Amino acid sequence: MAPPTDADALLTAARAGDRGTLARLISLVERGGAAAHEVGRTAHLQGGQAYTIGVTGAPGAGKSTLTSALVRHLRADGDRVAVLAVDPSSPFTGGAILGDRVRMGDHALDEGVYIRSMATRGHLGGLALATPEAVRVLDAAGFPWVVIETVGVGQVEVEIAGAADTTVVVVNPGWGDAVQANKAGLMEIADVFVINKADRPGAAETRRDLEGMLALSSGAGGDGSWRPPVVATVAVDGQGADDLWAEIRRHRAHLESSGALARRRADRLGDEVRRILTARLLERATAATGGARFADLCGDVAARRLDPWSAADELLAGS
Ligand SMILES: Nc1nc2c(ncn2[C@@H]2O[C@H](COP(=O)(O)OP(=O)(O)OP(=O)(O)O)[C@@H](O)[C@H]2O)c(=O)[nH]1
Ligand SMILES: [Mg+2]
């Protein structure tokens, strides 16, 4: 057996409930670089048990309030849960994160709940690379459930939410909200829809819009075997949270019994390897020949002295 590494010792401490160490591990993977890779390597081999739930939707849709209600259900079942609030806009702590702390405040003293905000902070691959690494750490630290909250604007955030085992898309009543969600690409990633703030007028119309759009699409997963349900909630007073929880569990059971869960996870890991490989190749091709060589060749391509394929071949050959 390989001798224990630093990452090993840190993950063992995190698994034993040391929150300071857990926070440190996530900061490490957020920063990227060699230490982050070491943690990722060790955590990957120890994990594979956590079930991830993505919660996404427009700013202010009620994602954090709803997440807090979900956490309450999980805790009632006795399960430990981690929440990652992904905030792409804030370099460190913005108002939104502060808001999340307050809204999830009911769980602040609960040892079985771990809440963490993620920001870009200049990580090389940004949130797209840092978030799966943080999930990996939480998985290895023994959390059976990880909820990932992202604002559903921008390709990266939609991608992050869509990479969960079950993705919950939150919309609000009101003209055009469902149409906006569709435009943002949320329709394809939704496994469960929530119409939150159902105490406001227009919930029935929004449901009709969503169901109309769903009838036209094949739904997440694309094989047509799962039709995303639409749940109405009033997150502020917990109304509908049981229905949402029941649908998430039903979706999980569907993925497990059909074999789709293992397939989805394998596909996701394949994508990750591809992303890393692409980044590495680009790094190597540009580093070995120097940034100037890259710029020169691009100049030749722009001047039509060279075609893009040959330029790429030359860079790879020199790497
Ligand atoms: N009327 C009503 N208000 C709600 C409901 N759910 C949440 N809110 C309110 O909507 C506001 C936004 O809620 P959050 O849970 O912070 O929403 P969010 O989607 O996490 O917001 P960001 O993370 O900032 O994008 C808060 O003032 C909540 O109290 C609801 O069901 N009904
Ligand atoms: Mg929030």
Side-chain angles (χ1 to χ4, degrees):
M1 219 163 85
T5 61
D6 217 24
D8 238 340
L10 291 173
L11 283 164
T12 304
R15 205 160 32 246
D18 179 346
R19 289 172 167 249
T21 301
L22 182 56
R24 209 176 120 205
L25 281 165
I26 295 182
S27 298
L28 267 175
V29 300
E30 248 182 340
R31 273 200 294 275
H37 297 162
E38 181 57 30
V39 171
R41 265 193 272 271
T42 311
H44 183 74
L45 301 181
Q46 296 178 358
Q49 307 304 315
Y51 193 86
T52 55
I53 301 171
V55 177
T56 192
K63 301 178 293 297
S64 298
T65 316
L66 213 51
T67 297
S68 189
L70 281 179
V71 167
R72 217 166 293 130
H73 272 270
L74 283 161
R75 294 302 291 144
D77 291 348
D79 286 344
R80 292 166 75 220
V81 54
V83 178
L84 280 180
V86 177
D87 186 342
S89 57
S90 146
F92 189 37
T93 43
I97 291 175
L98 213 61
D100 285 339
R101 290 257 159 79
V102 175
R103 268 184 279 294
M104 297 196 200
D106 341 352
H107 309 293
L109 296 174
D110 183 344
E111 286 286 313
V113 182
Y114 181 78
I115 299 171
R116 164 83 186 213
S117 298
M118 296 274 295
T120 37
R121 276 199 256 171
H123 185 286
L124 199 61
L127 291 167
L129 286 178
T131 308
E133 287 301 334
V135 170
R136 194 166 271 144
V137 166
L138 293 165
D139 181 3
F143 287 94
W145 298 92
V146 179
V147 182
I148 307 156
E149 177 191 333
T150 75
V151 175
V153 290
Q155 198 190 335
V156 171
E157 296 74 45
V158 170
E159 227 168 77
I160 290 172
D165 294 324
T166 295
T167 301
V168 177
V169 169
V170 186
V171 301
N172 291 149
W175 191 83
D177 213 48
V179 178
Q180 288 308 321
N182 193 15
K183 275 195 198 149
L186 298 179
M187 220 63 193
E188 293 101 87
I189 62 163
D191 297 306
V192 179
F193 280 103
V194 172
I195 303 172
N196 185 46
K197 309 197 185 183
D199 50 324
R200 297 194 174 162
E205 288 84 343
T206 304
R207 176 182 287 273
R208 210 180 44 219
D209 285 352
L210 279 177
E211 282 172 351
M213 283 187 277
L214 277 171
L216 296 174
S217 75
S218 55
D223 65 356
S225 65
W226 174 260
R227 178 86 178 252
V230 181
V231 179
T233 61
V234 182
V236 273
D237 56 21
Q239 249 184 75
D242 330 9
D243 297 340
L244 173 57
W245 183 224
E247 291 297 357
I248 291 172
R249 274 188 321 209
R250 193 167 69 84
H251 182 244
R252 179 177 184 164
H254 164 81
L255 289 180
E256 283 173 346
S257 64
S258 64
L261 184 61
R263 270 199 308 279
R264 267 191 185 201
R265 288 179 172 179
D267 285 351
R268 236 152 53 205
L269 290 168
D271 283 345
E272 211 180 330
V273 175
R274 219 164 280 129
R275 263 201 310 272
I276 295 170
L277 186 63
T278 308
R280 288 260 160 104
L281 275 176
L282 187 62
E283 222 171 70
R284 195 189 289 173
T286 50
T289 57
R293 178 86 183 121
F294 184 83
D296 280 352
L297 287 169
C298 289
D300 288 346
V301 172
R304 300 206 177 258
R305 283 189 294 272
L306 189 69
D307 68 279
W309 298 99
S310 305
D313 282 343
E314 278 196 42
L315 286 165
L316 277 176
S319 71

Tab-separated table of all heavy atoms in Angstrom, residues 171-178 195-210 232:
chain	number	residue	atom	x	y	z
A	171	VAL	N	-38.262	28.253	-11.128
A	171	VAL	CA	-38.807	29.444	-11.790
A	171	VAL	C	-39.851	30.066	-10.866
A	171	VAL	O	-40.236	29.468	-9.857
A	171	VAL	CB	-39.426	29.125	-13.179
A	171	VAL	CG1	-38.401	28.515	-14.124
A	171	VAL	CG2	-40.623	28.196	-13.028
A	172	ASN	N	-40.266	31.267	-11.218
A	172	ASN	CA	-41.290	31.961	-10.427
A	172	ASN	C	-42.526	32.185	-11.287
A	172	ASN	O	-42.425	32.181	-12.510
A	172	ASN	CB	-40.762	33.308	-9.926
A	172	ASN	CG	-39.670	33.175	-8.878
A	172	ASN	OD1	-38.784	34.009	-8.786
A	172	ASN	ND2	-39.708	32.117	-8.077
A	173	PRO	N	-43.679	32.408	-10.647
A	173	PRO	CA	-44.870	32.720	-11.431
A	173	PRO	C	-44.650	34.058	-12.139
A	173	PRO	O	-43.912	34.907	-11.645
A	173	PRO	CB	-45.980	32.869	-10.392
A	173	PRO	CG	-45.445	32.314	-9.137
A	173	PRO	CD	-43.965	32.407	-9.213
A	174	GLY	N	-45.298	34.217	-13.246
A	174	GLY	CA	-45.174	35.503	-13.929
A	174	GLY	C	-44.941	35.276	-15.394
A	174	GLY	O	-44.376	34.254	-15.794
A	175	TRP	N	-45.365	36.237	-16.147
A	175	TRP	CA	-45.311	36.110	-17.584
A	175	TRP	C	-43.876	35.947	-18.057
A	175	TRP	O	-43.002	36.736	-17.708
A	175	TRP	CB	-45.953	37.343	-18.217
A	175	TRP	CG	-46.163	37.139	-19.665
A	175	TRP	CD1	-47.210	36.491	-20.270
A	175	TRP	CD2	-45.285	37.554	-20.706
A	175	TRP	NE1	-47.031	36.487	-21.610
A	175	TRP	CE2	-45.865	37.124	-21.919
A	175	TRP	CE3	-44.074	38.239	-20.745
A	175	TRP	CZ2	-45.276	37.362	-23.151
A	175	TRP	CZ3	-43.482	38.473	-21.978
A	175	TRP	CH2	-44.083	38.036	-23.173
A	176	GLY	N	-43.640	34.921	-18.822
A	176	GLY	CA	-42.341	34.793	-19.476
A	176	GLY	C	-41.233	34.140	-18.673
A	176	GLY	O	-40.165	33.926	-19.207
A	177	ASP	N	-41.453	33.814	-17.422
A	177	ASP	CA	-40.369	33.232	-16.630
A	177	ASP	C	-39.930	31.874	-17.195
A	177	ASP	O	-38.745	31.584	-17.280
A	177	ASP	CB	-40.780	33.085	-15.160
A	177	ASP	CG	-39.580	33.271	-14.241
A	177	ASP	OD1	-38.832	34.248	-14.440
A	177	ASP	OD2	-39.372	32.423	-13.353
A	178	ALA	N	-40.915	31.085	-17.574
A	178	ALA	CA	-40.598	29.775	-18.144
A	178	ALA	C	-39.872	29.937	-19.474
A	178	ALA	O	-38.955	29.191	-19.790
A	178	ALA	CB	-41.881	28.965	-18.327
A	195	ILE	N	-41.987	25.588	-9.337
A	195	ILE	CA	-42.528	26.941	-9.445
A	195	ILE	C	-42.582	27.449	-8.012
A	195	ILE	O	-43.478	27.100	-7.240
A	195	ILE	CB	-43.927	26.961	-10.083
A	195	ILE	CG1	-43.884	26.302	-11.462
A	195	ILE	CG2	-44.438	28.405	-10.189
A	195	ILE	CD1	-45.246	26.102	-12.100
A	196	ASN	N	-41.543	28.212	-7.645
A	196	ASN	CA	-41.487	28.739	-6.274
A	196	ASN	C	-42.161	30.107	-6.235
A	196	ASN	O	-42.321	30.751	-7.256
A	196	ASN	CB	-40.033	28.825	-5.807
A	196	ASN	CG	-39.950	29.245	-4.351
A	196	ASN	OD1	-40.680	28.721	-3.507
A	196	ASN	ND2	-39.098	30.200	-4.043
A	197	LYS	N	-42.513	30.537	-5.042
A	197	LYS	CA	-43.315	31.751	-4.832
A	197	LYS	C	-44.719	31.540	-5.401
A	197	LYS	O	-45.307	32.443	-6.013
A	197	LYS	CB	-42.654	32.995	-5.441
A	197	LYS	CG	-41.188	33.175	-5.008
A	197	LYS	CD	-40.647	34.560	-5.256
A	197	LYS	CE	-39.154	34.597	-4.903
A	197	LYS	NZ	-38.530	35.895	-5.041
A	198	ALA	N	-45.209	30.319	-5.233
A	198	ALA	CA	-46.543	29.976	-5.740
A	198	ALA	C	-47.632	30.738	-4.990
A	198	ALA	O	-48.815	30.628	-5.315
A	198	ALA	CB	-46.765	28.467	-5.648
A	199	ASP	N	-47.245	31.501	-3.955
A	199	ASP	CA	-48.206	32.373	-3.268
A	199	ASP	C	-48.501	33.616	-4.109
A	199	ASP	O	-49.400	34.385	-3.798
A	199	ASP	CB	-47.662	32.786	-1.888
A	199	ASP	CG	-46.231	33.341	-1.942
A	199	ASP	OD1	-45.418	32.837	-2.758
A	199	ASP	OD2	-45.933	34.273	-1.172
A	200	ARG	N	-47.737	33.795	-5.177
A	200	ARG	CA	-47.966	34.965	-6.045
A	200	ARG	C	-48.832	34.586	-7.240
A	200	ARG	O	-48.878	33.421	-7.618
A	200	ARG	CB	-46.621	35.496	-6.541
A	200	ARG	CG	-45.771	35.978	-5.397
A	200	ARG	CD	-44.624	36.791	-5.904
A	200	ARG	NE	-43.893	37.362	-4.789
A	200	ARG	CZ	-42.661	37.837	-4.879
A	200	ARG	NH1	-42.034	37.790	-6.032
A	200	ARG	NH2	-42.073	38.353	-3.828
A	201	PRO	N	-49.480	35.583	-7.844
A	201	PRO	CA	-50.362	35.264	-8.976
A	201	PRO	C	-49.578	34.765	-10.188
A	201	PRO	O	-48.409	35.119	-10.364
A	201	PRO	CB	-51.059	36.601	-9.287
A	201	PRO	CG	-50.333	37.653	-8.524
A	201	PRO	CD	-49.531	36.993	-7.456
A	202	GLY	N	-50.215	33.914	-10.976
A	202	GLY	CA	-49.618	33.477	-12.246
A	202	GLY	C	-49.008	32.089	-12.214
A	202	GLY	O	-48.454	31.643	-13.216
A	203	ALA	N	-49.114	31.400	-11.063
A	203	ALA	CA	-48.485	30.069	-10.973
A	203	ALA	C	-49.097	29.091	-11.974
A	203	ALA	O	-48.381	28.292	-12.584
A	203	ALA	CB	-48.598	29.534	-9.550
A	204	ALA	N	-50.416	29.159	-12.152
A	204	ALA	CA	-51.089	28.215	-13.061
A	204	ALA	C	-50.617	28.431	-14.505
A	204	ALA	O	-50.365	27.466	-15.232
A	204	ALA	CB	-52.603	28.371	-12.971
A	205	GLU	N	-50.454	29.714	-14.880
A	205	GLU	CA	-50.006	30.009	-16.250
A	205	GLU	C	-48.574	29.517	-16.458
A	205	GLU	O	-48.239	28.980	-17.514
A	205	GLU	CB	-50.033	31.523	-16.525
A	205	GLU	CG	-51.412	32.113	-16.679
A	205	GLU	CD	-52.065	32.458	-15.331
A	205	GLU	OE1	-51.588	31.946	-14.280
A	205	GLU	OE2	-53.042	33.221	-15.333
A	206	THR	N	-47.746	29.729	-15.441
A	206	THR	CA	-46.356	29.288	-15.557
A	206	THR	C	-46.292	27.767	-15.697
A	206	THR	O	-45.520	27.245	-16.495
A	206	THR	CB	-45.546	29.766	-14.338
A	206	THR	OG1	-45.675	31.182	-14.260
A	206	THR	CG2	-44.077	29.424	-14.457
A	207	ARG	N	-47.135	27.076	-14.946
A	207	ARG	CA	-47.188	25.614	-15.065
A	207	ARG	C	-47.585	25.211	-16.487
A	207	ARG	O	-46.977	24.319	-17.085
A	207	ARG	CB	-48.182	25.039	-14.046
A	207	ARG	CG	-48.359	23.528	-14.175
A	207	ARG	CD	-49.388	23.011	-13.188
A	207	ARG	NE	-48.888	23.006	-11.819
A	207	ARG	CZ	-48.198	21.999	-11.284
A	207	ARG	NH1	-47.914	20.937	-12.010
A	207	ARG	NH2	-47.792	22.064	-10.049
A	208	ARG	N	-48.581	25.908	-17.026
A	208	ARG	CA	-49.035	25.593	-18.375
A	208	ARG	C	-47.890	25.818	-19.386
A	208	ARG	O	-47.646	24.982	-20.249
A	208	ARG	CB	-50.237	26.470	-18.720
A	208	ARG	CG	-51.203	25.816	-19.696
A	208	ARG	CD	-52.351	26.743	-19.987
A	208	ARG	NE	-51.868	28.107	-20.224
A	208	ARG	CZ	-52.499	29.209	-19.786
A	208	ARG	NH1	-53.610	29.127	-19.106
A	208	ARG	NH2	-51.992	30.401	-20.049
A	209	ASP	N	-47.183	26.943	-19.229
A	209	ASP	CA	-46.049	27.235	-20.126
A	209	ASP	C	-45.010	26.126	-20.063
A	209	ASP	O	-44.528	25.636	-21.075
A	209	ASP	CB	-45.339	28.540	-19.702
A	209	ASP	CG	-46.142	29.772	-20.083
A	209	ASP	OD1	-47.149	29.617	-20.807
A	209	ASP	OD2	-45.759	30.878	-19.640
A	210	LEU	N	-44.656	25.757	-18.825
A	210	LEU	CA	-43.623	24.729	-18.634
A	210	LEU	C	-44.061	23.413	-19.247
A	210	LEU	O	-43.300	22.768	-19.972
A	210	LEU	CB	-43.361	24.506	-17.140
A	210	LEU	CG	-42.455	25.491	-16.426
A	210	LEU	CD1	-42.389	25.140	-14.948
A	210	LEU	CD2	-41.047	25.467	-17.028
A	232	ALA	N	-45.099	22.835	-7.291
A	232	ALA	CA	-45.289	24.215	-6.832
A	232	ALA	C	-44.879	24.311	-5.365
A	232	ALA	O	-45.209	23.437	-4.559
A	232	ALA	CB	-46.745	24.620	-6.996
